[in-house]
Amino acid sequence: MDAELLHSPVVGSTEDEEVDVCYWNLPLAFMKKRHTEKIEGSKALAQSWRMKDRMKTVSVALVLCLNVGVDPPDVVKTSPCARLECWIDPLSMSPQKALETIGANLQKQYENWQPRARYKQSLDPTVDEVKKLCTSLRRNAKEERVLFHYNGHGVPRPTVNGEIWVFNKNYTQYIPLSIYDLQTWMGSPSIFVYDCSNAGIIVKSFKQFALQREQELEVAAINPNHPLAQMPLPPSMKNCIQLAACEASELLPMNPNLPADLFTSCLTTPIKIALRWQAWDLAVDICLSQLPTIIEEGTAFRHSPFFAEQLTAFQVWLTMGVENRNPPEQLPIVLQVLLSQVHRLRALDLLGRFLDLGPWAVSLALSVGIFPYVLKLLQSSARELRPLLVFIWAKILAVDSSCQADLVKDNGHKYFLSVLADPYMPAEHRTMAVFILAVIVNNYNTGQEACLQGNLIAICLEQLNDPHPLLRQWVAICLGRIWQSFDSARWCGVRDSAHEKLYSLLSDPIPEVRCAAVFALGTFVGNSAERTDHSTTIDHNVAMMLAQLINDGSPIVRKELVVALSHLVEQYESNFCTVALQFIEEEKNYAVPSPANSTETGNVTPVKDSPAIPRLRSVNSYTNLRAATTARTLNKSLQNLNLNEEGGPAAFSPGNLSTSSSASSTLGSPDNDEYLLSFETIDKMRRVSSYSSLNSLIADPFPDVSDLAMRVLNNIAYKATMNARTQRILDSGSLTQSAPASPTSKGTLIHQAGGSPPVPGASSSSLTNEVPKAPVRDGPSSRPTYTPTLGGQAPHSQQFPRTRKMFDKGPDQTAEDGDDTAAHRAFINASLHTGVCEWSAKYFAQPVMKIPEEHDSESQVRKEREWRFLRNTRVRRQSQCVTQRGVTRLDDQIFINRNPGVPSVVKFHPFNTCIAVADKDSICFWDWEKGERLDYFYNGNPRYTRITSMEYLNGHDSSLLLTATDDGALRIWKNFADQKNPEMVTAWQGLSDMLPTTRGAGMVVDWEQETGLLMTSGDVRVVRIWDTEREMKVQDIPTGADSCVTSLSCDPQRSLVAAGFGDGSVRVYDRRMGPNECVNGDVRFFDPRMPDSINILQTVKGLTALDIHPQATLFACGSMNQFIAVYNSNGDVISNIKYYDGFMGQRIGAISCLAFHPYWPHLAVGSNDYYMSIYSAEKRLR
């Protein structure tokens, strides 16, 4: 039986069950980790495993409260009972001698570990004696560590008030000693050892008192009159270590075979106490029993099975499969046998499986001392250890990257270079090796130099085209990191043509690989070394290649593209500032467009051109903004920009720009438009240099991309205007103008400017105080409040009107705003970072051997998927029974409600009772069975655009909603209609060069779940096919028509594409035959094998919408004349739904959209009067 059948909940041989299995195995779109996770690295865990600066324990206080011969009143001892104290029976001698002997023995036991410390004993002491002892030791120890050992076997248990017990002078009473006072006397750093029953109470009290001290110090710092404010600050208790014998509710063990001070014995005489256990006795006996035969007969020594048995116990712990359990006791033993040749291979394998459990396991292993063992093993030449060591080190470096220095220091990087260069190593192990090397060279110059000498660049370049995508991704990341801010590595890459070899990855089918290639090329041009003609030419060529990715289907690629282009901007800042200032000066000829002067269709009210109120642009100008974003236009514009200082545009100097007197005179005015960067300017900027790419990306439909692009442009515009003002001030004072800035100028005159930017807390996407207002509707429902998604960032188009203020304060700021200016400089100059590399590294930190949840039959994810599968099966079978009986009427209204906006697109969910209704820029979800509104949210498309198509993706499983707008943008949403905040999964420019039309089709799409292909067209002259798995455009089919595409449909194999056009023609595209047409506006039936229609139907006049039922032989036509006609395949009208007067009559507006349910005989209808209706077959059929 096929493996895929075993994963489905229903297995059978009937035709229906085979269909069900096919649905179970349908692929899911946009459900990769890049879509479901936030693109950021793992949260750094506090690593405490490294030996910090060694702190000596210089003084030890041994406080013994034994009161030999007298048992404390709150402890009932067993008979017989544990009696040994420091391996001495206190009843074997007089009480005083026993006390002194025990104290001396305890001191000797500690001296074995720290012979140079200063020891002081306090035997059955009073409170004053303890105070004197502790203060004396702290005074002598100064900043070093003091140890306080407390044996409370002869006094009552600690109290819940945080007290331990000592004696009075006459030994007639037990006297409490507060832990708070003990903290004060001992100070910090200190070690506390509590050997008494209920010792956990002391630990809890210690923490509470330490917190109380911190709070008191905070109050004293705020209030100078507080009593503590006049006292010297006590040291923090955070540098104290506490060791307790038992929990707060536990008593000490009383087994007579064990010492009474078992905890102290384990700490100070571990081998002696260990040898009292039967397991150790057995191990020793087994070893010693072999001596006679070895001596007499010369037989070989049989190794003790102890370590093998411990490894087996560890293996059993690993295979239990229960999470949230206590760490394995055998872990330290596993580490002990790593250097044993007998057990090494098995121990490494088990250790790797343990580390694969997650970052917590790595941290635990490091804390018990794994690091020196696995570091030493890198010196081994055994090939069988390579896969295991590479896996272990990948896990370690994914959690703690600081180990890079240790590896380079011990030449460990050479081990991984040899693994990466070994062609016989599996790709997965080479991937781990290159990940390790990428960590070694990450922001670590010593690691970069060492790996450069190890020929890392050449080794990586040889594997750029490896079939393994994860290897290609990390090879590119490793290259990007080795030459990041390291010019020697960059020139080594130049000599090996590394940038040219990386170009092939820009069209890789895996988005993460394309992103890694963009990262590598971005750091390649991002070095700050002085540029030569050769390097400038290389930068220009790299920019040309990167510009082709502005319409890539993956937002992570486009985000990395913005960062890469920002490196280019940084290198040639003066050139970009020159371009920016030219456009800002020209922008003063345009006024802020007024929404009142524009209409829904984009028409504008003509106004007289004047400096104050210039001519407004229509929405068609907005749609043309994207016309300059094609790779062809960008390449032309890039070729027009020479980045050489001599031959290109003049190096930045405001004196080179001609400005009008009026513009110059208003530089100090708060009302001037110097900081306005409108779409008018952006439209022009797109035609010049790499500015074209950035200006295209600020209108990106994915908010994170547009935010980053705007941040880069704000930086350029800020520096351009600040430098211009400073230069003009110098010119007005008849000062000599300085020489033109070099291409690597960093705007050194910015600090002289008086302008003040926004506070650092401002969103990176919005440097303005303007808040866009939602348009007022005619209907009763207002626009839904937009909830920012994607990390709290609102869509770029929502935050910025068409004219955007660059900064929220004018240039007339006073000197008091210097801090704000500095803050803004820090904000705009902060290096951009996408976090993709860190996010990619999470793969190595997370379990890779664990069964995925969707394949785990007991997981919640699997159970939910099985439930959806059974629901879908039930819907398909029940609806099939209804449609097979025949639908003779379809006019029973089962739902009607007023939509918040005029419905423009409707879409049934295929399996639940949800219907999506789109208006101009928002989507409303209704439960058509209950008649309830579920959700209403803003789509995020710009103001002058509208939603023209919708599709449910993954409708059989975890549903997503795709929306298409008439500016060519595609957005995909999740978490809708279920009381959660809708989140944008991804967005991209599905079509560019949308043609300006007043009554166009906008954008139309067709989705095929089986193949993951998305067909797009509309007001363009092509049908564009996107592969959603690769998030790439795979084909453009020229339509050959002069009108827009109004509908798309494909056969299941995606070999034939049928497109309907605005002129009434239908064209079928296939490489094997030419186009076929039908005209006259009728409804026609075609057989794809025949060029002529096989049937023609005359339908309603004023046809505005048409849909065909996917299962039943029905289609419906809607008219602007307020009626709907439903036909069967013979062309017979089975239902006419019309407008009827009267109290009980149906009121239908002009039909704006309609759609059939994928399975049920339900027809959804939207009309221009805001109403949404659903009609169904007769009740007897349902």
Side-chain angles (χ1 to χ4, degrees), residues 289-312:
S289 64
Q290 299 184 57
L291 286 178
T293 56
I294 293 175
I295 295 173
E296 295 174 3
E297 302 176 9
T299 58
F301 177 75
R302 297 191 308 275
H303 291 279
S304 168
F306 172 78
F307 290 107
E309 291 169 353
Q310 293 300 308
L311 290 177
T312 300

Side-chain angles (χ1 to χ4, degrees), residues 608-626:
K608 185 177 180 180
D609 291 341
S610 68
I613 309 177
R615 175 179 58 84
L616 297 182
R617 284 187 159 194
S618 69
V619 67
N620 294 341
S621 299
Y622 173 80
T623 57
N624 273 334
L625 291 180
R626 299 193 182 273

Side-chain angles (χ1 to χ4, degrees), residues 928-942:
W928 51 264
E929 197 169 71
K930 297 179 180 179
E932 297 177 356
R933 191 172 86 174
L934 303 175
D935 204 351
Y936 186 39
F937 68 90
Y938 175 57
N939 184 55
N941 48 296

Side-chain angles (χ1 to χ4, degrees), residues 321-334:
V322 180
E323 297 183 359
N324 302 323
R325 47 196 164 144
N326 293 328
E329 298 177 353
Q330 299 81 14
L331 182 59
I333 298 176
V334 173

Side-chain angles (χ1 to χ4, degrees), residues 822-858:
H824 181 68
R825 286 202 304 270
F827 169 74
I828 62 177
N829 288 324
S831 60
L832 299 182
H833 189 63
T834 63
V836 171
C837 295
E838 292 74 14
W839 170 77
S840 301
K842 287 169 61 176
Y843 168 83
F844 299 96
Q846 302 303 319
V848 296
M849 301 180 189
K850 184 180 178 182
I851 300 176
E853 282 191 313
E854 57 269 22
H855 294 157
D856 184 357
S857 60
E858 299 300 323

